[in-house]
Amino acid sequence: MRAIGVNQYGGPEALEVVELPEPHAGPGQIRIRVHAAAVNPTDTYVRDGSRAERQRKDPPPYVPGMDAAGVVDEIGEGAEGGLALGDAVMAVVVPDGAHGAYAEYVVVPVGSVVRAPAGADHAHAATLPMNGMTARRTLDLLDPEPGATLAVTGAAGAYGGYVVQLAKAAGLRVVADASDADVELVRKLGADVVVPRGDAVAERIREAVPRGVDALADGSVQGDLLLPAVRDGGRIATVRGYRGPEERGITWHPVWVRDIAEDRERLDALRVLAESGAVTLRVAATYPAERAPEAHARLAEGGTRGRLVLEF
């Protein structure tokens, strides 16, 4: 089968078309004929050597990709899960060696795949699983009380936008950051208060919420700079494994989507929210799979609103 991977670590240009043995679904697994795979910042770590130590156990090529959308192609024994051959689906993919979503076929545990939102094409469906589940895990870890105030940085991005929308669906008050160009977007996502993004964002949040917010989702990866925004005893959720100093009783909660990658109930709940309009699926641009280097180069430039998607 055709896939996109790297034989040598490097920049976007390191990505190339590779031929791999076609995988097949075993017990408890579903094979998906992939039609779309979202491009995420985490994919660049597979490409550039940031995860070289973890990948050392496997020979190249290394195939990135944590979001797949397509159709059910094979169903392993005991893996029906209400799915049938030909169903349009979306899945969280945990990449490992040559196994990743940037491929014509991917095999995943049945718990990692659900029907795609009704009315969504493959490209839009591919933007939801990993980022949506990361946002879901964020709120589960922060566990705010109904009516609590949550701050979200990086709110215009895919992860931050989903946190905003899931928080509003849960009845929370949301304070979010945005550049001047993104204020209207972040308001449409549901933020109650929008403050300027940047190094002074914690100060701006504290001005909006003088006592400090109850919890904060750090989508902008600013870490310790955000501590002043949070009240004593509050919580901060971070991506990329960051854990800062615990002061004033504030606790840090690194978010790993792998922890819930097979939580079919939560993934299907995201589908329902997308169908209701409570969650917005955003595609910034699509690329034929062989143009993956262009997509990664565009991602590196920053400022994309919605996900770049590779199409197979």
Side-chain angles (χ1 to χ4, degrees), residues 3-262:
I4 306 297
V6 294
N7 282 293
Q8 294 185 330
Y9 297 125
E13 71 284 351
L15 290 165
E16 59 181 314
V17 177
V18 296
E19 290 293 329
L20 296 172
E22 189 175 306
H24 293 281
Q29 296 179 325
I30 298 285
R31 186 172 85 165
I32 300 169
R33 170 58 175 96
V34 178
H35 289 287
V39 176
N40 292 287
T42 188
D43 301 345
T44 66
Y45 306 148
V46 174
R47 185 205 77 217
D48 66 13
S50 295
R51 294 182 177 162
E53 190 59 39
R54 183 186 304 171
Q55 293 170 322
R56 196 179 303 279
K57 64 181 177 60
D58 298 306
Y62 303 117
V63 176
M66 295 192 72
D67 286 303
V71 297
V72 174
D73 185 71
E74 286 182 359
I75 299 174
E77 182 181 354
E80 290 80 5
L83 297 173
L85 293 176
D87 281 349
V89 293
M90 61 181 182
V92 177
V93 180
V94 178
D96 186 35
H99 175 265
Y102 291 12
E104 289 182 307
Y105 296 94
V106 67
V107 171
V108 295
V110 66
S112 296
V113 55
V114 299
R115 285 189 177 85
D121 60 22
H122 295 306
H124 282 82
T127 68
L128 181 58
M130 193 276 284
N131 286 286
M133 289 289 272
T134 305
R136 177 69 270 159
R137 180 65 172 164
T138 294
L139 291 175
D140 289 347
L141 289 171
L142 292 175
D143 194 25
E145 297 287 337
T149 299
L150 171 73
V152 183
T153 64
Y159 162 74
Y162 284 139
V163 174
V164 171
Q165 292 191 307
L166 292 180
K168 291 309 299 176
L172 303 179
R173 180 178 182 237
V174 175
V175 179
D177 70 348
S179 65
D180 289 345
D182 290 327
V183 169
E184 189 58 30
L185 166 63
V186 173
R187 283 181 176 151
K188 285 182 178 179
L189 290 172
D192 299 285
V193 178
V194 180
V195 301
R197 61 179 293 184
D199 289 345
V201 68
E203 184 180 331
R204 303 286 86 82
I205 293 171
R206 198 74 186 220
E207 289 173 358
V209 187
R211 71 180 186 87
V213 296
D214 300 298
L216 185 146
D218 181 16
S220 60
V221 198
Q222 287 178 278
D224 299 0
L225 286 177
L226 302 176
L227 275 165
V230 182
R231 66 165 174 81
D232 293 0
R235 297 182 172 192
I236 301 176
T238 67
V239 292
R240 305 184 192 176
Y242 184 76
R243 189 185 297 273
E246 296 195 0
E247 58 183 54
R248 296 190 288 114
I250 295 171
T251 55
W252 297 78
H253 302 270
V255 179
W256 300 105
V257 74
R258 293 167 186 253
D259 292 341
I260 59 169
E262 295 184 40

